[in-house]
Amino acid sequence: MTQSAIYSRVVGTGSYLPARRVTNQQLADELATRGIETSDEWIVARTGIQARHFAAPDQTSSDMAVEAAKRALDMAGLSADQIDLIMVATSTPDFVFPSTACLVQNKLGITNGCAAFDIQAVCSGFAYAMATADNFIRSGAYRNVLVIGAETFSRILDFNDRTTCVLFGDGAGAVVLQASSEPGILSSALHADGSHSNILCVPGNVSGGAVQGEAFLYMDGQAVFKLAVKVLEKVAHEALEKAGLEASAIDWLIPHQANLRIMTSTARKLGAEAKMVVTVDQHGNTSAASIPLALDVAVRDGRIKAGQNVMIEGVGGGFTWGAVLFRM
C-alpha cells in the first residue's frame, strides 16, 4: 500500500507591532538632540522608509511573538495546545538562553511538551524557519507548527550612527503550518557564505558578566546592497526551478523588507514589480519579522487569496539568504 504524500500548508497568519510609532521626522528630531543630522527626505530617498515601531522598555521579543502567534492561531482555528513544534526566528532573543521559543511556549500556556527552539539567520531567519518546518512536517514528525519571526532591533542600534539607526524597527509575525494532503510549500532554497560575516554583524559577546566587543549593529551598506541584489534574484530562480515553475507563476512576491531600492531591483528582474508586497515604508526593517509581518498584512487586506503562489525571500547577516515558494 502506497503512503500518500505529506505537504505543509499555511493555515493561519498573524502579526504584531508595538504601540510606539516613530516617523522619520520624529526620529530626526530625536537625533538632532545628539547632534546627528538627518531628515525625512534623506531617509525616504535612500530607503523608502517613512516610519517604524519601537518596543516599550519592558516589552521583549517573546512578548511580541506571543501576540502575533495568538492571531495566527485564531485564523487557523487551532488552540495553542494543538501546536507540536514552535520555531522562533530572531537575532534579538530575550536572553542568551533559554530560547525565545521556550518563553513563547510558556506564555501561550502550552503544556503538551512540544518541541521549541530558535533559528538564527538574521533577516533570512523566517525563510530558514519556514523551510525547516516544512521538512519536519513532510517527514511526518509534526503536524501543526508555529513559525514566528520576532525582533527588538531598537535595542542594538547605535543612535549616533544615522546610516543604521534610521533603518530598523521592532515587531513580530507568525504563521501556522499544518500537514496536508494538498501541496502548500512548493520549494525552498537556503544558502550562506560566512566569508561575508564582517559586512553585517553585531560583533560582541558576553564574557565574565560583561559585553566584550561591540553590542551595536554594524553594516557596510554598499557591500550589503551589492550582495543582496545579486543573491536574491539567483535564489528566487532556484526555488522556481525546484518547483518546476516560471517567474510568471508568482502571484505575490514578499521580499525581506530592508530597503525599497533592493526590493524593487529584485522584483524588476523577476518581472514581479507590480506583484510585490511593500510594508517597509511603515515598518522599517524588522529583520526576521519583516516577511511574516508583510504576509499577514496582505492576507488580511485581501490581496493574497487561497490558491495563489507566494514567493518569500530574504538576505541577512552571516551572510545568509533564502527563498520559499508556497501556495496559499
Side-chain angles (χ1 to χ4, degrees):
M1 183 175 178
T2 303
Q3 186 177 5
S4 60
I6 303 173
Y7 301 98
S8 62
R9 294 190 66 87
V10 174
V11 294
T13 67
S15 61
Y16 174 82
L17 291 165
R20 186 187 173 202
R21 181 177 183 270
V22 181
T23 66
N24 288 345
Q25 189 58 56
Q26 289 171 322
L27 184 58
D29 291 343
E30 288 184 25
L31 293 178
T33 66
R34 297 169 174 258
I36 308 298
E37 291 186 12
T38 190
S39 67
D40 174 63
E41 293 77 15
W42 188 89
I43 298 169
V44 171
R46 286 160 179 77
T47 69
I49 297 168
Q50 299 174 27
R52 75 286 294 145
H53 291 250
F54 287 159
D58 60 348
Q59 197 170 33
T60 65
S61 291
S62 69
D63 289 335
M64 295 188 294
V66 166
E67 295 305 316
K70 287 178 178 177
R71 294 168 189 180
L73 286 166
D74 182 64
M75 182 183 289
L78 295 177
S79 68
D81 262 329
Q82 288 177 277
I83 294 297
D84 45 20
L85 173 63
I86 302 171
M87 300 167 58
V88 177
T90 185
S91 298
T92 50
D94 293 18
F95 306 120
V96 173
F97 67 85
S99 70
T100 303
C102 283
L103 301 177
V104 168
Q105 180 200 55
N106 181 54
K107 290 178 180 182
L108 285 173
I110 297 175
T111 58
N112 62 10
C114 74
F117 62 90
D118 290 356
I119 283 189
Q120 165 51 301
V122 198
C123 304
S124 305
F126 190 76
Y128 266 64
M130 284 277 280
T132 304
D134 175 52
N135 280 294
F136 270 126
I137 290 174
R138 285 174 180 263
S139 76
Y142 300 106
R143 178 169 179 79
N144 296 313
V145 181
L146 184 57
V147 184
I148 307 169
E151 303 282 15
T152 46
F153 256 56
S154 60
R155 308 269 164 82
I156 57 172
L157 297 179
D158 180 357
F159 285 93
N160 291 310
D161 177 8
R162 73 166 184 170
T163 64
T164 57
C165 72
V166 301
L167 303 178
F168 295 90
D170 304 333
V175 302
V176 175
L177 281 178
Q178 187 173 72
S180 172
S181 60
E182 297 295 324
I185 292 185
L186 305 175
S187 65
S188 62
L190 305 175
H191 296 281
D193 184 349
S195 69
H196 297 289
S197 61
N198 62 315
I199 66 173
L200 179 56
C201 57
V202 178
N205 61 81
V206 177
S207 178
V211 174
Q212 303 295 314
E214 292 293 329
F216 289 131
L217 179 148
Y218 167 80
M219 181 173 69
D220 180 339
Q222 288 188 336
V224 169
F225 187 97
K226 290 178 182 177
L227 190 56
V229 170
K230 176 183 175 182
V231 300
L232 280 173
E233 180 191 9
K234 187 174 180 181
V235 79
H237 281 295
E238 182 182 353
L240 285 164
E241 184 177 348
K242 285 183 176 182
L245 297 174
E246 300 293 329
S248 58
I250 298 173
D251 293 301
W252 294 102
L253 175 67
I254 306 181
H256 163 50
Q257 309 284 310
N259 180 303
L260 190 58
R261 291 188 298 160
I262 295 175
M263 294 161 60
T264 301
S265 175
T266 304
R268 187 179 298 120
K269 290 178 180 179
L270 291 171
E273 195 169 358
K275 305 172 181 178
M276 184 171 67
V277 176
V278 177
T279 57
V280 68
D281 57 330
Q282 297 302 315
H283 298 169
N285 181 347
T286 55
S287 190
S290 78
I291 289 173
L293 269 167
L295 173 63
D296 185 53
V297 167
V299 167
R300 291 179 185 271
D301 69 18
R303 274 179 287 176
I304 295 179
K305 297 176 174 62
Q308 292 184 326
N309 294 325
V310 180
M311 168 77 78
I312 67 171
E313 56 174 2
V315 295
F319 207 77
T320 65
W321 62 98
V324 179
L325 181 63
F326 62 95
R327 185 169 298 141
M328 285 297 293

